[in-house]
Amino acid sequence: MDFPLRIVFDDDFLVALKPSGFPTHRTDVGAKGFVELLEERLAEKLYIVHRLDKDTSGLLLLARSEESSKQIIKLFEEKLVTRKYIFKTQKKLDRDRIKFKTLIEKHSNEMVSIRDQTPNSETLFLKLASEKFGDIWEAQPRTGKTHQIRLHAKDLKIPVDGDRRYDGSHAPRLCLQSQQLEFQWKDSLRNFPAPDPIWIKPVTPFAFPLKESLSRRDFLYQLTGNECYRCVHTENSRYRVDQFGDHWWVYWYDEILPTEEELKELSEIAAGYGKKVWVREMKSRGGAKNEEAKLWNLNEPEKRWQAEELGIKYEFRADQGMSPGLFLDQRINRQWVRRNSKGLKVLNLFSYTGGFSVNAALGGAEKVATVDLSNNFNRWAQQNFVLNGLDPQNPAYQFWGTDTFSFLHKTIKRGEMYDLIICDPPSFGRFDGKVFQIHRDWQTMLDLIKQVLAPAGRILFSTNYERWNYDLFFNKMEIHASKNNMRVEKTPLAGFDFEPPQESPLMKSAFLINLA
């Protein structure tokens, strides 16, 4: 299942590790928070008994019933829950222990801390270490006011690094973490520690954002296994990183190529996770035509290897293009296809290496047609079938080496129909001397697809076209559907390793369902 692995369960509560960048609960604009996403993944109602700021990482305590929620909230009210946070600051203070009290109130939508009035907040500060790269402090809040630790740290002139709101020094993230929870529950003292954040030790400017991205995913998924995850997404403009089992694939977008020192740091960080690395230069389409993209290898990677995604095996190749064989932003959509293909006739257009096709076949589809212009990709897709115990020679499985438009025109003439059609086209492509552009040709393509869609059938349509945000994309789908006797449904949420829930996703997808 695709939900965080690092969760401690009890009959009455759970303790989860929340990464930085996730609000605890649903925001005012309606975007889901970490708790709502946990509820969807666990199929369970959860009760918030304390909160963490969006950019604060660490331990989050949640009740599993209304009754246990009341009991835990009472523990907080009676100050029987010990909460320990740690933070880093560039500022120095000649004191090691401070008990600090102020009045915290909201003024004009901003939280303010006032010293000369009756206090309603109290925090104990203990200095844990004093280093050249910054001092590490422990903060124990005795009360639970919004932004309490951050406000008190600012008042003491030791603002949290990365806290742009409260005068913190520059850092890739807010260097504040909920590090330990301790409370008496029934007949035992329960103690929950969090793993140390990466900023608790010295870290270089190159390594900090990389380690922080890895730390967030490791909170959620534990990156040491043979699974496939996105390790660095759009939070870093220079590169993105995908994990394919024991290999990392780095898409290097920056025109300034990695230095030898940066490659060395990347190699050392990867080795700490037991990973081998390919770094692929992602050249812009406007670059010199005959200039070959650079490819670096670190820690002796294989040119061909295997890994798993949600229990399904795939082959990956370092010598077959800009990607090694699987687009991970479709992981949850592929899982949906596997769970919802039984007895259906499934068509996979722009199929690449057949990830959707493998899932449909494993899900019990009656027929799976795989269409890609490249016969090399079709052979690769057949290899993925074999890896999963599927016979690509089975008449139920068809592999077509042709472009999508030609296939659709011929299928219309043959009168063939499909119950589920997956269409994940490139934003730009060429075939038979023609140019395909998603922003111009998407409606023509969907009109053709509709003609081979069975009554009550559905299209899973997706795109990474960067000039459409999610709202614009979904609006286009709704307008098109209303004109074509169809309705639109949202697809499942992408994995936590991609955008946090409040951000518009780069990969947009939707179901268009035939009402005929």
Side-chain angles (χ1 to χ4, degrees):
M1 295 179 67
D2 191 73
F3 62 81
L5 297 175
R6 292 195 177 184
I7 298 177
V8 178
F9 286 94
D10 185 274
D11 289 341
D12 304 298
F13 61 83
L14 64 85
V15 178
L17 279 167
K18 186 188 85 67
S20 176
F22 284 75
T24 296
H25 53 81
R26 191 182 301 273
T27 63
D28 293 339
V29 296
K32 293 175 181 173
F34 186 66
V35 172
E36 284 83 18
L37 294 174
L38 276 180
E39 288 178 328
E40 288 192 6
R41 294 292 184 258
L42 301 173
E44 177 180 350
K45 171 66 177 172
L46 299 173
Y47 298 81
I48 298 173
V49 294
H50 92 290
R51 293 165 173 78
L52 298 178
D53 294 342
K54 169 188 166 186
D55 294 320
T56 301
S57 59
L59 300 170
L60 186 66
L61 178 62
L62 300 165
R64 304 181 73 185
S65 69
E66 190 171 354
E67 179 58 33
S68 61
S69 171
K70 292 177 181 177
Q71 294 178 47
I72 296 172
I73 289 173
K74 186 177 180 181
L75 291 177
F76 276 103
E77 290 174 345
E78 295 177 355
K79 298 181 173 56
L80 297 176
V81 179
T82 299
R83 292 175 291 156
K84 295 182 180 180
Y85 291 73
I86 58 173
F87 69 91
K88 183 169 77 73
T89 178
Q90 296 297 315
K91 306 301 181 181
K92 298 293 182 179
L93 189 65
D94 291 332
R95 296 172 67 184
D96 294 336
R97 178 186 175 92
I98 310 163
K99 185 180 289 186
F100 196 73
K101 301 179 182 181
T102 67
L103 173 70
I104 293 179
E105 291 182 337
K106 193 173 196 178
H107 289 184
S108 302
N109 294 321
E110 289 292 330
M111 303 306 298
V112 296
S113 176
I114 306 168
R115 296 198 195 193
D116 58 358
Q117 295 187 28
T118 302
N120 63 0
S121 62
E122 178 183 340
T123 309
L124 174 64
F125 290 87
L126 303 171
K127 188 187 292 185
L128 301 180
S130 185
E131 307 285 354
K132 289 182 179 180
F133 67 90
D135 286 359
I136 306 299
W137 287 82
E138 178 182 291
Q140 297 182 25
R142 296 285 289 167
T143 52
K145 299 300 180 182
T146 301
H147 296 180
Q148 177 175 316
I149 294 173
R150 296 163 63 186
L151 282 164
H152 284 178
K154 176 188 176 184
D155 288 341
L156 292 169
K157 300 191 179 346
I158 49 171
V160 179
D161 284 0
D163 195 343
R164 289 175 288 181
R165 176 176 290 188
Y166 299 121
D167 302 336
S169 299
H170 174 75
R173 61 154 287 186
L174 180 71
C175 296
L176 174 64
Q177 176 157 299
S178 170
Q179 189 70 6
Q180 189 172 2
L181 291 170
E182 185 176 280
F183 55 94
Q184 189 78 23
W185 189 255
K186 297 182 178 177
D187 297 326
S188 63
L189 182 66
R190 307 302 302 272
N191 186 291
F192 302 95
D196 287 342
I198 61 101
W199 43 259
I200 204 167
K201 295 180 180 179
V203 59
T204 67
F206 174 79
F208 194 158
L210 173 58
K211 285 188 172 182
E212 176 55 35
S213 293
L214 294 169
S215 175
R216 173 186 152 195
R217 275 68 174 192
D218 205 31
F219 262 22
L220 300 174
Y221 298 106
Q222 296 180 316
L223 297 178
T224 53
N226 195 44
E227 267 285 350
C228 298
Y229 297 114
R230 172 142 291 192
C231 298
V232 180
H233 190 43
T234 53
E235 69 268 24
N236 193 309
S237 61
R238 297 189 72 192
Y239 54 81
R240 293 172 192 159
V241 181
D242 281 340
Q243 172 174 300
F244 300 102
D246 61 357
H247 284 59
W248 283 352
W249 185 272
V250 180
Y251 309 83
W252 193 273
Y253 288 94
D254 196 343
E255 292 182 1
I256 300 174
L257 298 180
T259 65
E260 288 299 320
E261 183 59 33
E262 288 173 337
L263 290 173
K264 181 181 177 182
E265 285 192 77
L266 176 57
S267 173
E268 291 172 350
I269 292 168
Y273 285 88
K275 306 300 179 184
K276 306 166 187 179
V277 186
W278 288 104
V279 183
R280 164 70 73 176
E281 179 190 12
M282 302 300 288
K283 301 187 74 64
S284 67
R285 293 185 184 274
K289 289 185 178 179
N290 296 323
E291 189 177 344
E292 190 171 337
K294 292 181 173 57
L295 183 66
W296 296 267
N297 63 82
L298 311 174
N299 305 344
E300 301 182 356
E302 285 83 35
K303 285 191 175 180
R304 296 197 177 186
W305 71 98
Q306 295 177 15
E308 293 187 4
E309 179 191 75
L310 300 175
I312 297 177
K313 297 177 182 177
Y314 298 94
E315 180 174 281
F316 298 95
R317 303 177 182 180
D319 55 357
Q320 301 285 312
M322 296 298 179
S323 168
L326 201 64
F327 298 123
L328 300 185
D329 52 5
Q330 295 281 14
R331 179 175 70 246
I332 307 302
N333 281 339
R334 281 190 286 270
Q335 183 184 56
W336 184 94
V337 167
R338 182 177 182 181
R339 292 173 174 174
N340 293 275
S341 291
K342 189 173 181 59
L344 302 184
K345 296 178 180 178
V346 179
L347 171 60
N348 183 15
L349 302 169
F350 302 99
S351 58
Y352 189 34
T353 61
F356 278 110
S357 300
V358 171
N359 277 270
L362 290 172
E366 177 186 324
K367 174 182 178 180
V368 181
T370 302
V371 180
D372 198 280
L373 183 61
S374 168
N375 284 319
N376 179 48
F377 287 156
N378 277 324
R379 288 189 292 269
W380 194 345
Q382 291 178 56
Q383 175 62 18
N384 285 332
F385 269 63
V386 171
L387 288 178
N388 291 280
L390 300 166
D391 181 6
Q393 303 304 316
N394 186 325
Y397 308 139
Q398 301 174 357
F399 298 87
W400 298 84
T402 183
D403 72 85
T404 286
F405 285 89
S406 296
F407 177 84
L408 289 171
H409 283 297
K410 292 176 182 177
T411 303
I412 292 168
K413 289 182 180 179
R414 291 194 297 266
E416 294 181 16
M417 307 292 279
Y418 292 87
D419 305 296
L420 173 61
I421 302 176
I422 298 118
C423 183
D424 181 25
S427 298
F428 175 90
R430 300 179 188 274
F431 57 91
D432 292 341
K434 300 176 184 178
V435 175
F436 171 82
Q437 298 182 61
I438 186 70
H439 70 276
R440 182 191 67 193
D441 300 323
W442 68 274
Q443 293 190 80
T444 301
M445 181 172 57
L446 285 178
D447 287 341
L448 290 172
I449 292 174
K450 173 73 184 300
Q451 295 182 60
V452 299
L453 184 65
R458 69 174 61 204
I459 304 167
L460 171 51
F461 181 67
S462 58
T463 180
N464 279 62
Y465 183 52
E466 294 188 11
R467 294 189 179 182
W468 292 348
N469 63 26
Y470 181 79
D471 290 338
L472 178 60
F473 166 80
F474 206 78
N475 181 254
K476 287 179 178 291
M477 296 302 105
E478 288 186 318
I479 292 172
H480 182 83
S482 66
K483 293 178 180 178
N484 290 275
N485 196 27
M486 306 180 83
R487 64 182 174 87
V488 180
E489 283 185 3
K490 293 183 177 180
T491 53
L493 293 168
F496 288 0
D497 46 336
F498 284 85
E499 293 89 358
Q502 71 275 13
E503 295 183 12
S504 180
L506 180 60
M507 193 280 289
K508 287 76 63 174
S509 63
F511 292 119
L512 288 88
I513 302 170
N514 199 353
L515 299 178

